[in-house]
Amino acid sequence: MKSDQFPFNLPSLLEKLPIEGMDLWMKRDDLIHPIISGNKWRKLKGFFRGIDRTKTIITFGGAYSNHLPAAALTAKLHGMKIVGVVRGEELHQNSNNYLKYCASQGMELHFISRGDYRTLRSNGWKLNGLDPEIPDNHIILPEGGAGKHTLEGCKEIWQEIKNEFTPNHLVISSGTGATVHGILSAMSKNEKTRVHVISAVRGAVNEMSAICTYAESKGIKINWLDEAFGGFGKTTPELLQEIEEFQSQTEIQLDRNYNAKLWFWLKNNPLQGRIVWVNTGGLSL
Ligand SMILES: Cc1ncc(COP(=O)(O)O)c(C=O)c1O
């Protein structure tokens, strides 16, 4: 079985939104799959291609990570064992619906302290005997599904858009920058589409610098916007109202961490010409 033979809606729909005064199109990656949605399959595809299925996958995330449920289900569909290392030693598998879902898909959950989690992150996810119960025959999938393998699937977002038309603007939200990196890597040198990145993480200066330097090295115009609501996961009554209004206009539910913040920026900073917004999904379990 090839990993891209799952019941995925690919290529994802490119849909014109009924927003007056804007030539706005949405790349509906949120419809790729109910759980492995948005950029999750795009990021995981390269990791699972040709993977040694006898290994146990070890991956990492917070209690509300979108990555952990997606990784749990993808591993199950590949017939592989997977361990989720979760930030927060006080938690357990019934702490919330995300963790419950992971456990229901067969993911083994290990809860560690925030300090240990930080150490892991700064060690590049090397376990160094941190948990003796973790099997030796394992393969590491970093937090958020990050890694060079993400380029393969994320490139396809741009290839699919290009097959339809070349927009004047591409707008996308960002955490680690992996998804936008993949898109940029698929763009031609001096591509005329201008890229706008709305960061979900406040003050992500390293990510900003890496992505902007890369885009500029290819002659692509890029505009990086810092998170504007007080930090990752923070909302305001205005933002929540915007989510509701957007839903009543379009019947599309936006996730509040990434795509709602993008829409808030876009609505208040209208762009001229044809715009493609890549909806990177987001679960509400
Ligand atoms: C819904 C959603 N949108 C956007 C992102 C940001 O993606 P990246 O970390 O590749 O920038 C994430 C995190 O993976 C996400 O869960």
Side-chain angles (χ1 to χ4, degrees):
M1 179 181 63
K2 277 207 217 137
S3 52
D4 51 2
Q5 284 174 345
F6 300 147
F8 287 138
N9 292 314
L10 282 169
S12 66
L13 188 67
L14 185 55
E15 180 183 30
K16 173 111 164 79
L17 297 187
I19 305 283
E20 227 175 280
M22 274 196 215
D23 187 8
L24 179 57
W25 295 68
M26 184 182 271
K27 181 72 176 151
R28 299 293 310 271
D29 274 19
D30 55 315
L31 300 181
I32 289 178
H33 186 278
I35 300 290
I36 315 167
S37 90
N39 57 358
K40 296 297 161 267
W41 176 242
R42 306 284 195 183
K43 288 169 98 169
L44 290 173
K45 180 177 181 179
F47 180 81
F48 279 90
R49 194 173 46 77
I51 196 169
D52 175 352
R53 291 176 190 220
T54 64
K55 293 201 169 179
T56 297
I57 300 164
I58 316 283
T59 195
F60 309 85
Y64 290 91
S65 151
N66 288 316
H67 162 68
L68 290 180
L73 177 57
T74 312
K76 182 174 141 179
L77 292 170
H78 281 78
M80 292 182 72
K81 286 195 184 140
I82 185 162
V83 175
V85 178
V86 184
R87 184 174 59 225
E89 62 197 331
E90 75 287 2
L91 300 169
H92 51 82
Q93 71 173 56
N94 290 322
S95 292
N96 68 34
N97 287 343
Y98 289 71
L99 299 173
K100 272 186 206 158
Y101 179 84
C102 290
S104 75
Q105 297 309 304
M107 180 182 260
E108 193 181 308
L109 295 169
H110 288 240
F111 298 92
I112 63 170
S113 70
R114 285 168 175 72
D116 282 347
Y117 196 90
R118 263 197 304 279
T119 308
L120 269 176
R121 184 188 274 139
S122 58
N123 286 343
W125 310 107
K126 287 191 196 74
L127 293 163
N128 294 334
L130 188 75
D131 191 331
E133 289 170 37
I134 301 264
D136 284 341
N137 182 26
H138 67 249
I139 175 166
I140 298 284
L141 174 59
E143 183 182 45
K148 284 201 183 111
H149 58 259
T150 58
L151 286 181
E152 180 180 328
C154 294
K155 271 180 173 178
E156 292 175 1
I157 302 174
W158 180 246
Q159 289 157 352
E160 289 173 19
I161 295 170
K162 267 298 253 198
N163 283 342
E164 306 264 345
F165 55 78
T166 303
N168 300 95
H169 302 274
L170 181 124
V171 193
I172 183 164
S173 57
S174 167
T176 62
T179 309
V180 66
H181 183 213
I183 290 174
L184 288 166
S185 75
M187 286 180 156
S188 315
K189 273 197 154 197
N190 304 317
E191 183 72 70
K192 75 176 173 71
T193 303
R194 197 180 182 115
V195 179
H196 306 264
V197 183
I198 320 300
S199 178
V201 181
R202 187 164 261 209
V205 284
N206 294 338
E207 290 78 2
M208 174 181 75
S209 152
I211 293 299
C212 293
T213 306
Y214 180 59
E216 281 153 14
S217 75
K218 292 188 76 169
I220 299 166
K221 292 208 171 60
I222 187 153
N223 180 22
W224 182 282
L225 288 312
D226 198 9
E227 197 283 336
F229 294 85
F232 183 79
K234 300 269 166 51
T235 53
T236 63
E238 264 179 305
L239 183 68
L240 298 178
Q241 195 186 327
E242 227 25 276
I243 294 175
E244 275 186 32
E245 278 175 23
F246 184 82
Q247 186 170 11
S248 64
Q249 261 177 299
T250 62
E251 296 181 13
I252 299 171
Q253 172 75 53
L254 297 177
D255 85 292
R256 54 169 75 178
N257 295 330
Y258 294 93
N259 292 284
K261 292 181 179 180
L262 181 159
W263 170 238
F264 198 91
W265 179 79
L266 191 55
K267 191 179 167 186
N268 292 297
N269 297 275
L271 300 168
Q272 297 300 313
R274 183 165 281 189
I275 308 159
V276 170
W277 163 3
V278 181
N279 186 335
T280 49
L283 292 177
S284 44
L285 283 175

